[in-house]
Structures are given as structure tokens and as C-alpha cells.
Amino acid sequence: MSTNAYVSKCPECGEHTCLNNVSTRPVYHDWECWSCGMFYESQTDEHGQMLEGERIELKIDMEVSE
């Protein structure tokens, strides 16, 4: 199993604050942006907006890990 996580430019807001989670088994590519709160879950093809608390929690988690 190969899993990779990285930060890239958000396809929605353009900020370099989009956390991508990619796996080859099972195959998926999920992402969530801590600037605008948009997310995508490839397994369910769900695209939407995180709750404000979820966005802030992700932002705090990512800033602490830097």
C-alpha cells in the first residue's frame, strides 16, 4: 500500500493551503483546504464546504506541524 500526503495549491481559492491525501490501494485522492474550507472525497465523489470549526481545526493542526 502506498499513501502520500502533501500540500498544494487549492483548485477553488488558489491558496497554497490544500492538504491532499493520495493512496494507490484502495485508490483515492481526497483534498481539503484550510483557507477556504472546500473539500473533496473521491470515494463518495463528495465536494463541499467544511464547517468553520473544522476548517479552523485543520488550519491549527497544519500550522503546528510546519
Side-chain angles (χ1 to χ4, degrees):
M1 176 165 88
S2 176
T3 303
N4 190 24
Y6 59 93
V7 175
S8 68
K9 184 177 177 181
C10 176
E12 297 291 325
C13 71
E15 294 293 324
H16 196 78
T17 54
C18 186
L19 176 62
N20 291 264
N21 289 299
V22 181
S23 176
T24 57
R25 206 172 357 154
V27 175
Y28 66 82
H29 180 180
D30 299 342
W31 57 265
E32 52 192 345
C33 177
W34 67 86
S35 286
C36 68
M38 295 303 290
F39 71 89
Y40 176 70
E41 293 181 10
S42 63
Q43 297 287 3
T44 59
D45 197 31
E46 183 180 356
H47 186 263
Q49 184 76 35
M50 287 186 271
L51 298 173
E52 186 64 9
E54 293 172 325
R55 184 192 69 77
I56 291 169
E57 185 176 323
L58 177 62
K59 181 177 180 179
I60 291 168
D61 289 348
M62 293 306 296
E63 288 174 346
V64 168
S65 68
E66 290 181 331

Coordinates of all heavy atoms in Angstrom, one line a residue:
M1 N 0.8 -1.2 0.0 CA 0.0 0.0 0.0 C 0.9 1.2 0.0 O 1.8 1.3 0.8 CB -0.9 0.0 1.2 CG -1.7 1.2 1.3 SD -3.1 1.1 2.5 CE -2.3 1.6 4.0
S2 N 0.6 2.2 -0.9 CA 1.3 3.4 -0.9 C 0.4 4.6 -0.6 O -0.6 4.8 -1.3 CB 1.9 3.6 -2.3 OG 2.5 4.8 -2.4
T3 N 0.7 5.4 0.4 CA -0.1 6.5 0.8 C 0.8 7.7 0.8 O 2.0 7.7 1.2 CB -0.7 6.3 2.2 OG1 -1.5 5.1 2.1 CG2 -1.6 7.5 2.5
N4 N 0.3 8.8 0.3 CA 1.1 10.1 0.2 C 0.3 11.2 0.6 O -0.9 11.3 0.2 CB 1.6 10.2 -1.2 CG 2.7 11.3 -1.3 OD1 3.3 11.7 -0.3 ND2 2.8 11.9 -2.5
A5 N 0.8 12.2 1.4 CA 0.1 13.4 1.8 C 1.0 14.6 1.4 O 2.2 14.5 1.7 CB -0.3 13.4 3.2
Y6 N 0.4 15.6 0.9 CA 1.2 16.8 0.5 C 0.3 18.0 0.5 O -0.9 17.9 0.4 CB 1.9 16.6 -0.8 CG 1.0 16.3 -2.0 CD1 0.5 17.4 -2.8 CD2 0.6 15.0 -2.3 CE1 -0.3 17.1 -3.8 CE2 -0.3 14.8 -3.4 CZ -0.7 15.8 -4.1 OH -1.6 15.6 -5.2
V7 N 0.9 19.2 0.5 CA 0.2 20.4 0.4 C 0.4 21.0 -1.0 O 1.5 21.0 -1.5 CB 0.6 21.4 1.5 CG1 0.0 22.7 1.4 CG2 0.4 20.8 2.9
S8 N -0.7 21.5 -1.6 CA -0.6 22.1 -2.9 C -1.5 23.3 -3.0 O -2.2 23.6 -2.1 CB -0.8 21.1 -4.0 OG -2.2 20.7 -3.9
K9 N -1.6 23.9 -4.2 CA -2.5 25.0 -4.5 C -3.9 24.5 -4.6 O -4.2 23.5 -5.2 CB -2.1 25.6 -5.8 CG -2.8 26.8 -6.2 CD -2.3 27.4 -7.5 CE -3.1 28.6 -8.0 NZ -2.6 29.1 -9.3
C10 N -4.8 25.2 -3.9 CA -6.2 24.8 -3.9 C -6.9 25.1 -5.2 O -6.7 26.2 -5.8 CB -7.0 25.6 -2.8 SG -8.7 25.3 -2.7
P11 N -7.6 24.1 -5.8 CA -8.3 24.3 -7.0 C -9.5 25.3 -6.9 O -10.0 25.8 -7.9 CB -8.8 22.9 -7.4 CG -8.9 22.2 -6.2 CD -7.8 22.7 -5.3
E12 N -9.9 25.6 -5.7 CA -11.0 26.5 -5.5 C -10.6 28.0 -5.3 O -11.0 28.9 -5.9 CB -11.9 26.1 -4.3 CG -12.5 24.7 -4.5 CD -13.6 24.7 -5.6 OE1 -14.3 25.8 -5.7 OE2 -13.8 23.7 -6.3
C13 N -9.7 28.2 -4.3 CA -9.3 29.5 -3.9 C -7.9 29.9 -4.4 O -7.5 31.1 -4.4 CB -9.4 29.7 -2.4 SG -8.1 28.9 -1.4
G14 N -7.1 29.0 -4.8 CA -5.8 29.3 -5.4 C -4.7 29.4 -4.3 O -3.5 29.6 -4.6
E15 N -5.0 29.3 -3.0 CA -4.0 29.4 -2.0 C -3.3 28.1 -1.9 O -3.8 27.1 -2.2 CB -4.7 29.7 -0.6 CG -5.4 31.1 -0.5 CD -4.4 32.2 -0.6 OE1 -3.3 32.1 0.0 OE2 -4.7 33.3 -1.1
H16 N -2.0 28.2 -1.4 CA -1.2 27.0 -1.3 C -1.4 26.4 0.1 O -0.5 26.3 0.9 CB 0.3 27.4 -1.5 CG 1.2 26.2 -1.7 ND1 1.3 25.6 -2.9 CD2 2.0 25.5 -0.9 CE1 2.1 24.6 -2.9 NE2 2.5 24.5 -1.6
T17 N -2.7 26.1 0.4 CA -3.1 25.6 1.7 C -4.0 24.4 1.5 O -4.9 24.2 2.3 CB -3.8 26.7 2.5 OG1 -4.8 27.2 1.7 CG2 -2.8 27.8 2.9
C18 N -3.8 23.6 0.5 CA -4.7 22.4 0.2 C -4.0 21.1 0.6 O -3.0 20.8 0.0 CB -5.1 22.4 -1.2 SG -6.3 21.2 -1.6
L19 N -4.5 20.4 1.6 CA -3.9 19.2 2.0 C -4.5 18.0 1.1 O -5.7 17.8 1.1 CB -4.2 18.9 3.5 CG -3.8 17.5 4.0 CD1 -2.2 17.4 4.0 CD2 -4.3 17.4 5.4
N20 N -3.6 17.3 0.4 CA -4.0 16.2 -0.4 C -3.6 14.9 0.2 O -2.5 14.8 0.7 CB -3.3 16.3 -1.8 CG -3.7 17.5 -2.6 OD1 -4.6 17.3 -3.5 ND2 -3.2 18.7 -2.3
N21 N -4.5 13.9 0.2 CA -4.2 12.6 0.7 C -4.5 11.7 -0.5 O -5.6 11.6 -1.0 CB -5.1 12.2 1.9 CG -4.7 13.0 3.1 OD1 -3.6 12.9 3.6 ND2 -5.6 13.8 3.6
V22 N -3.4 10.9 -0.9 CA -3.5 10.1 -2.1 C -3.1 8.7 -1.7 O -2.1 8.5 -0.9 CB -2.6 10.6 -3.2 CG1 -2.6 9.7 -4.4 CG2 -2.9 12.0 -3.5
S23 N -3.8 7.7 -2.2 CA -3.4 6.3 -1.9 C -3.6 5.5 -3.2 O -4.5 5.8 -4.0 CB -4.3 5.7 -0.8 OG -4.0 4.3 -0.6
T24 N -2.8 4.4 -3.3 CA -2.9 3.6 -4.5 C -3.7 2.3 -4.2 O -4.2 1.7 -5.1 CB -1.5 3.1 -5.0 OG1 -0.8 2.5 -4.0 CG2 -0.7 4.3 -5.5
R25 N -3.9 2.0 -2.9 CA -4.7 0.8 -2.6 C -5.3 1.0 -1.2 O -4.7 0.9 -0.2 CB -3.8 -0.4 -2.6 CG -4.5 -1.7 -2.8 CD -3.7 -2.9 -3.0 NE -2.3 -2.6 -2.9 CZ -1.3 -3.5 -2.6 NH1 -1.7 -4.7 -2.2 NH2 -0.1 -3.2 -2.5
P26 N -6.6 1.3 -1.2 CA -7.5 1.5 -2.3 C -7.2 2.8 -3.0 O -6.6 3.7 -2.3 CB -8.9 1.5 -1.7 CG -8.6 2.0 -0.3 CD -7.3 1.4 0.1
V27 N -7.5 3.0 -4.2 CA -7.2 4.2 -5.0 C -8.1 5.3 -4.5 O -9.3 5.2 -4.5 CB -7.3 3.9 -6.5 CG1 -7.1 5.2 -7.2 CG2 -6.3 2.9 -6.9
Y28 N -7.5 6.4 -4.0 CA -8.3 7.6 -3.8 C -7.4 8.8 -3.8 O -6.2 8.7 -3.7 CB -9.0 7.5 -2.4 CG -8.2 7.4 -1.2 CD1 -7.7 8.6 -0.6 CD2 -7.9 6.2 -0.6 CE1 -6.9 8.6 0.5 CE2 -7.1 6.2 0.6 CZ -6.6 7.4 1.1 OH -5.9 7.3 2.3
H29 N -8.0 10.0 -4.0 CA -7.3 11.3 -3.9 C -8.3 12.2 -3.3 O -9.2 12.7 -3.9 CB -6.9 11.7 -5.3 CG -6.2 13.1 -5.2 ND1 -5.7 13.7 -6.3 CD2 -5.9 13.9 -4.2 CE1 -5.1 14.8 -6.0 NE2 -5.2 15.0 -4.7
D30 N -8.2 12.4 -2.0 CA -9.0 13.4 -1.2 C -8.2 14.6 -1.0 O -7.0 14.6 -0.9 CB -9.4 12.8 0.1 CG -10.3 11.5 -0.1 OD1 -10.8 11.3 -1.2 OD2 -10.4 10.8 0.9
W31 N -8.9 15.8 -0.9 CA -8.2 17.0 -0.5 C -9.1 17.9 0.3 O -10.4 17.8 0.2 CB -7.7 17.8 -1.7 CG -8.7 18.1 -2.8 CD1 -9.0 17.4 -3.9 CD2 -9.5 19.3 -2.8 NE1 -10.0 18.0 -4.6 CE2 -10.3 19.2 -4.0 CE3 -9.7 20.4 -2.0 CZ2 -11.2 20.2 -4.3 CZ3 -10.6 21.4 -2.3 CH2 -11.4 21.2 -3.5
E32 N -8.5 18.8 1.1 CA -9.2 19.8 1.9 C -8.4 21.0 2.1 O -7.2 20.9 2.3 CB -9.7 19.2 3.2 CG -8.6 18.5 4.0 CD -9.1 17.7 5.2 OE1 -10.3 17.9 5.6 OE2 -8.3 16.9 5.7
C33 N -9.0 22.2 1.9 CA -8.2 23.4 2.0 C -8.6 24.1 3.3 O -9.7 24.4 3.6 CB -8.6 24.3 0.8 SG -7.8 25.9 0.9
W34 N -7.5 24.5 4.1 CA -7.7 25.2 5.3 C -7.9 26.7 5.2 O -8.1 27.4 6.1 CB -6.7 24.8 6.4 CG -5.3 25.3 6.2 CD1 -4.7 26.5 6.5 CD2 -4.2 24.5 5.6 NE1 -3.4 26.5 6.2 CE2 -3.1 25.3 5.6 CE3 -4.2 23.2 5.1 CZ2 -1.8 24.8 5.2 CZ3 -2.9 22.8 4.6 CH2 -1.8 23.6 4.7
S35 N -7.8 27.2 3.9 CA -8.0 28.6 3.7 C -9.5 28.9 3.4 O -10.1 29.7 4.1 CB -7.2 29.2 2.6 OG -5.8 29.3 3.0
C36 N -10.0 28.2 2.5 CA -11.4 28.4 2.0 C -12.4 27.4 2.6 O -13.6 27.6 2.5 CB -11.5 28.5 0.5 SG -11.3 26.9 -0.3
G37 N -11.9 26.2 3.1 CA -12.8 25.2 3.7 C -13.4 24.2 2.7 O -14.2 23.4 3.1
M38 N -13.0 24.3 1.4 CA -13.6 23.4 0.4 C -12.9 22.0 0.6 O -11.7 21.9 1.0 CB -13.3 23.9 -1.0 CG -14.1 25.1 -1.3 SD -15.9 25.0 -1.1 CE -16.4 23.9 -2.4
F39 N -13.6 20.9 0.3 CA -13.0 19.6 0.3 C -13.6 18.7 -0.8 O -14.6 19.0 -1.4 CB -13.3 19.0 1.7 CG -14.7 18.6 1.9 CD1 -15.2 17.3 1.5 CD2 -15.6 19.4 2.5 CE1 -16.5 16.9 1.7 CE2 -17.0 19.1 2.7 CZ -17.4 17.8 2.3
Y40 N -12.9 17.6 -1.0 CA -13.3 16.6 -2.0 C -13.0 15.3 -1.5 O -11.8 15.0 -1.1 CB -12.7 16.8 -3.4 CG -13.1 15.8 -4.3 CD1 -14.4 15.7 -4.9 CD2 -12.2 14.8 -4.7 CE1 -14.7 14.7 -5.7 CE2 -12.5 13.8 -5.6 CZ -13.8 13.7 -6.1 OH -14.2 12.7 -7.0
E41 N -13.9 14.3 -1.4 CA -13.7 13.0 -1.0 C -14.0 12.1 -2.3 O -15.1 12.0 -2.7 CB -14.6 12.5 0.1 CG -14.2 13.3 1.4 CD -15.1 12.9 2.6 OE1 -15.9 11.9 2.5 OE2 -15.0 13.5 3.6
S42 N -12.9 11.5 -2.8 CA -13.1 10.8 -4.1 C -13.9 9.5 -4.0 O -14.5 9.1 -4.9 CB -11.7 10.5 -4.7 OG -10.9 9.7 -3.9
Q43 N -13.8 8.8 -2.8 CA -14.5 7.6 -2.6 C -16.1 7.8 -2.8 O -16.7 6.9 -3.3 CB -14.2 6.9 -1.3 CG -12.8 6.5 -1.1 CD -12.4 5.3 -1.9 OE1 -13.1 4.8 -2.6 NE2 -11.2 4.9 -1.7
T44 N -16.6 8.9 -2.3 CA -18.0 9.1 -2.4 C -18.3 10.2 -3.4 O -19.5 10.6 -3.6 CB -18.5 9.6 -1.0 OG1 -17.8 10.8 -0.6 CG2 -18.4 8.5 0.0
D45 N -17.3 10.8 -4.1 CA -17.5 11.8 -5.1 C -18.2 13.0 -4.4 O -19.0 13.7 -5.0 CB -18.2 11.4 -6.3 CG -18.0 12.3 -7.5 OD1 -16.9 13.0 -7.6 OD2 -18.9 12.5 -8.3
E46 N -17.8 13.3 -3.1 CA -18.5 14.4 -2.4 C -17.6 15.6 -2.4 O -16.4 15.5 -2.1 CB -18.7 13.9 -1.0 CG -19.4 15.0 -0.1 CD -19.7 14.5 1.3 OE1 -19.3 13.4 1.6 OE2 -20.1 15.3 2.1
H47 N -18.1 16.7 -2.8 CA -17.4 18.0 -2.9 C -18.2 19.0 -2.1 O -19.4 19.1 -2.4 CB -17.3 18.4 -4.4 CG -16.5 19.6 -4.6 ND1 -17.0 20.9 -4.7 CD2 -15.1 19.8 -4.7 CE1 -16.1 21.8 -4.9 NE2 -14.9 21.1 -4.9
G48 N -17.6 19.7 -1.2 CA -18.4 20.6 -0.4 C -17.6 21.5 0.5 O -16.4 21.7 0.2
Q49 N -18.3 22.1 1.5 CA -17.7 23.1 2.3 C -17.6 22.6 3.8 O -18.6 22.1 4.3 CB -18.6 24.4 2.3 CG -18.0 25.5 3.1 CD -16.9 26.2 2.4 OE1 -16.9 26.4 1.2 NE2 -15.9 26.7 3.2
M50 N -16.4 22.6 4.4 CA -16.2 22.2 5.7 C -17.0 23.2 6.6 O -17.1 24.4 6.3 CB -14.8 22.2 6.2 CG -13.9 21.1 5.6 SD -12.3 21.1 6.3 CE -11.4 22.2 5.1
L51 N -17.4 22.8 7.8 CA -17.9 23.7 8.8 C -16.7 24.6 9.3 O -15.5 24.2 9.2 CB -18.4 22.9 10.0 CG -19.6 22.0 9.8 CD1 -19.9 21.2 11.0 CD2 -20.8 22.8 9.3
E52 N -17.0 25.8 9.7 CA -16.0 26.7 10.1 C -15.1 26.2 11.2 O -13.8 26.3 11.1 CB -16.6 28.1 10.5 CG -15.6 29.2 10.8 CD -14.8 29.6 9.6 OE1 -15.1 29.2 8.4 OE2 -13.8 30.4 9.8
G53 N -15.6 25.5 12.1 CA -14.8 24.9 13.2 C -13.8 23.8 12.7 O -12.7 23.7 13.1
E54 N -14.3 23.0 11.7 CA -13.4 22.0 11.1 C -12.3 22.7 10.3 O -11.1 22.2 10.4 CB -14.2 21.1 10.1 CG -15.3 20.3 10.7 CD -16.2 19.6 9.8 OE1 -16.5 20.2 8.7 OE2 -16.6 18.5 10.1
R55 N -12.6 23.8 9.6 CA -11.6 24.5 8.8 C -10.5 25.0 9.8 O -9.3 24.9 9.5 CB -12.2 25.6 8.0 CG -11.2 26.3 7.1 CD -11.8 27.6 6.5 NE -12.0 28.6 7.5 CZ -11.0 29.4 8.0 NH1 -9.8 29.2 7.7 NH2 -11.3 30.3 8.9
I56 N -11.0 25.7 10.8 CA -10.0 26.3 11.8 C -9.2 25.2 12.5 O -8.0 25.4 12.6 CB -10.8 27.1 12.8 CG1 -11.4 28.3 12.1 CG2 -9.9 27.5 14.0 CD1 -12.4 29.1 13.0
E57 N -9.8 24.1 12.8 CA -9.0 23.0 13.4 C -8.0 22.4 12.5 O -6.8 22.2 12.9 CB -10.0 21.8 13.8 CG -9.3 20.7 14.6 CD -10.3 19.7 15.0 OE1 -11.5 20.0 15.4 OE2 -10.0 18.5 15.0
L58 N -8.3 22.3 11.2 CA -7.3 21.8 10.2 C -6.2 22.8 10.1 O -5.0 22.5 10.1 CB -8.0 21.6 8.9 CG -7.1 21.2 7.7 CD1 -6.3 19.8 8.0 CD2 -7.8 21.1 6.4
K59 N -6.5 24.1 10.0 CA -5.5 25.2 9.9 C -4.6 25.1 11.1 O -3.4 25.2 10.9 CB -6.2 26.5 9.8 CG -5.2 27.7 9.7 CD -6.0 29.0 9.5 CE -4.9 30.1 9.3 NZ -5.5 31.4 9.2
I60 N -5.1 25.0 12.3 CA -4.3 24.9 13.5 C -3.4 23.7 13.5 O -2.2 23.8 13.7 CB -5.1 25.0 14.8 CG1 -5.8 26.3 15.0 CG2 -4.3 24.6 16.0 CD1 -6.9 26.4 16.0
D61 N -3.9 22.6 13.1 CA -3.1 21.3 13.0 C -2.0 21.5 12.0 O -0.9 21.0 12.3 CB -4.0 20.1 12.6 CG -5.0 19.7 13.7 OD1 -4.8 20.2 14.9 OD2 -5.9 19.0 13.4
M62 N -2.3 22.1 10.9 CA -1.3 22.2 9.8 C -0.2 23.2 10.2 O 1.0 23.1 9.9 CB -1.9 22.6 8.5 CG -2.8 21.5 7.9 SD -2.0 19.9 7.8 CE -0.7 20.2 6.6
E63 N -0.6 24.3 10.9 CA 0.4 25.3 11.3 C 1.3 24.8 12.4 O 2.5 25.1 12.4 CB -0.3 26.6 11.7 CG -0.9 27.3 10.6 CD -1.7 28.5 11.0 OE1 -2.1 28.7 12.2 OE2 -2.0 29.4 10.1
V64 N 0.8 23.9 13.2 CA 1.6 23.3 14.3 C 2.6 22.3 13.7 O 3.7 22.2 14.2 CB 0.7 22.6 15.3 CG1 1.5 21.7 16.3 CG2 -0.1 23.6 16.1
S65 N 2.2 21.6 12.7 CA 3.1 20.6 12.1 C 4.2 21.2 11.2 O 5.1 20.5 10.8 CB 2.3 19.6 11.3 OG 1.7 20.1 10.2
E66 N 4.1 22.5 10.9 CA 5.1 23.0 10.0 C 6.5 23.3 10.7 O 6.7 23.5 11.8 CB 4.7 24.4 9.4 CG 3.6 24.2 8.4 CD 3.1 25.5 7.9 OE1 3.2 26.6 8.5 OE2 2.6 25.5 6.7

